[in-house]
Amino acid sequence: MKLYLAPMEGITNHIYRRAWHRHFGPADRYFAPFLTNIGLNHKELADLLPENNKGMELVPQILTNRPEIFLELAETLRSLGYTEVNLNLGCPSGTVTAKGRGSGFLRDPRALDEFLEKIFARCPLRISVKTRIGYADEAEWPPLWELLSRYPFSERIIHPRLRSDFYRGPVRIESFAHAYRSAQTQIAAAAGIPASPPYAPASPPAPSGIARPSACPCYNGDIFTHADFQAITTRFPALPAVMLGRGLITNPGLARELRGQPPMKAAQLRGFLEELEAGYRAVMSGDKNVLYRLMEVWSYLSNSFDEPEKIRRRIRKAANLAEYEQIIKELLP
Ligand SMILES: Cc1cc2nc3c(=O)[nH]c(=O)nc-3n(C[C@H](O)[C@H](O)[C@H](O)COP(=O)(O)O)c2cc1C
């Protein structure tokens, strides 16, 4: 079972990824937060430069509904050495969906189909996708899944929520189960075997360079504990990979725990946090900016401690990094 680090805008940038990789990694793959515009800005370029991502298999992500933007960005990514790009069909933010991008693109399957046809015809890189299961109604999913299954995505990662769910409420596991079952049937048919779930996708060989459209989808959503992970992998035994987002920011040792290693120790977390702070100090001016970034991480990480709200309040009140460091010293003696 592969474990992926989710893209999280404002959190899982190269500074976070590098510190996490050294102290708690590796993940099998790392996904970078989305790009939207042609011509990478300084921050985006720094995030993707191979020298800032040494030793990690990183997949950049694009959020657009315009084929020409996708293709031009893909070309830029190719020139940086990337061989795969991920398409974002999940972002629920109002400013994004209002423009028909992210999960907003799921509202217009015809336009999505045309877009996919154009990018698959010319993209120099493999294309994977990270998608929600619809915009406002679970009934949207079976035809959307059918549409996504017609294109040779190298990987299809599903966060089984609607746009209207944002990140709230239980995941809609039956929609994930629909995609899983349909992929199992396709895999079995391609191998000439009658479908008898659970049929493990023993990776039938793909023609070189061509992805298998029938490959089993990857799961993403609400994995915070070993028990959450077990529930998913027991129900879907042929899952090739699970992507971890908020659960891993809350408990940076989660991936190791899922691989059977002991929970993280205070000293490990301290080392990680010191490297994170140093990483931000190196690229940002002013304590306030660095504190803001660290606070984003702590908004999740605090939930691994007793009295998380109290911790968040204390860190929010820190006037400078010296005060922040004192708080960390007390929390992680
Ligand atoms: C603050 C934040 C930023 C995110 N940024 C991205 C992003 O850039 N691209 C993307 O595909 N998903 C993004 N996501 C969604 C996550 O990758 C993931 O799909 C979601 O959090 C559900 O997984 P989880 O329950 O493991 O966190 C973001 C989520 C959050 C909370």
Side-chain angles (χ1 to χ4, degrees):
M1 169 72 57
K2 293 194 168 166
L3 299 176
Y4 297 164
L5 178 70
M8 289 178 72
E9 221 263 311
I11 299 180
T12 61
N13 53 37
H14 69 101
I15 291 166
Y16 187 96
R17 293 193 301 265
R18 215 163 43 228
W20 185 87
H21 180 72
R22 237 159 66 80
H23 294 269
F24 295 107
D28 293 289
R29 307 186 94 188
Y30 297 76
F31 287 73
F34 61 76
L35 307 168
T36 50
N37 295 314
I38 292 170
L40 306 185
N41 63 34
H42 176 74
K43 212 170 98 201
E44 290 167 338
L45 185 62
D47 198 45
L48 296 173
L49 280 175
E51 60 259 39
N52 288 338
N53 294 284
K54 280 194 193 128
M56 295 175 238
E57 188 178 325
L58 180 66
V59 182
Q61 187 187 63
I62 299 178
L63 173 109
T64 187
N65 57 1
R66 296 194 20 210
E68 65 282 8
I69 293 183
F70 188 96
L71 290 165
E72 179 124 9
L73 270 171
E75 190 52 46
T76 306
L77 295 169
R78 193 191 59 79
S79 70
L80 287 170
Y82 289 99
T83 54
E84 178 179 325
V85 61
N86 183 266
L87 171 67
N88 180 321
L89 292 179
C91 183
S93 149
T95 49
V96 165
T97 57
K99 293 181 187 150
R101 304 187 298 193
S103 59
F105 212 170
L106 302 175
R107 254 186 313 187
D108 191 348
R110 215 155 56 189
L112 178 60
D113 197 7
E114 277 171 27
F115 170 87
L116 293 176
E117 205 171 307
K118 287 186 179 143
I119 64 169
F120 273 100
R122 291 185 34 220
C123 184
L125 309 179
R126 286 195 306 273
I127 305 172
S128 57
V129 66
K130 180 164 175 282
T131 187
R132 286 189 181 237
I133 54 154
Y135 192 78
D137 188 334
E138 230 171 323
E140 297 164 37
W141 179 236
L144 276 171
W145 173 250
E146 195 274 323
L147 167 59
L148 295 177
S149 299
R150 276 193 270 122
Y151 290 91
F153 287 106
S154 50
E155 213 162 33
R156 291 168 297 176
I157 302 156
I158 300 172
H159 177 54
R161 280 199 172 93
L162 298 166
R163 185 268 173 173
S164 51
D165 297 328
F166 285 85
Y167 295 106
R168 295 183 297 263
V171 289
R172 296 173 184 269
I173 204 66
E174 292 312 320
S175 281
F176 184 82
H178 169 83
Y180 180 87
R181 276 194 309 270
S182 124
Q184 301 294 92
T185 309
Q186 285 180 39
I187 292 163
I193 299 168
S196 56
Y199 173 76
S203 296
S208 61
I210 299 174
R212 289 168 293 120
S214 56
C216 193
C218 306
Y219 176 85
N220 165 238
D222 288 21
I223 296 197
F224 288 91
T225 63
H226 197 277
D228 297 335
F229 178 72
Q230 231 162 6
I232 289 293
T233 52
T234 304
R235 171 137 190 216
F236 306 110
L239 266 190
V242 162
M243 176 180 269
L244 306 170
R246 293 165 299 170
L248 186 136
I249 312 300
T250 305
N251 169 14
L254 181 63
R256 288 194 172 174
E257 282 181 43
L258 302 185
R259 291 182 177 128
Q261 293 173 34
M264 69 175 171
K265 297 198 168 64
Q268 265 178 313
L269 183 57
R270 212 169 41 235
F272 164 70
L273 288 168
E274 281 166 9
E275 186 167 333
L276 198 60
E277 181 185 338
Y280 279 127
R281 274 178 188 264
V283 298
M284 286 179 161
S285 56
D287 284 16
K288 280 281 169 203
N289 289 327
V290 176
L291 276 169
Y292 179 78
R293 284 283 154 225
L294 294 169
M295 188 60 223
E296 294 270 300
V297 173
W298 273 99
S299 67
Y300 295 94
L301 187 55
S302 55
N303 293 315
S304 278
F305 293 78
D306 295 334
E307 303 188 285
E309 187 47 46
K310 198 165 142 194
I311 294 171
R312 290 195 285 271
R313 225 180 8 250
R314 282 190 73 190
I315 296 179
R316 223 178 286 124
K317 277 200 203 147
N320 51 45
L321 284 167
E323 280 184 32
Y324 166 81
E325 285 162 17
Q326 186 54 38
I327 298 168
I328 304 307
K329 218 177 264 171
E330 288 168 28
L331 280 174
L332 300 166

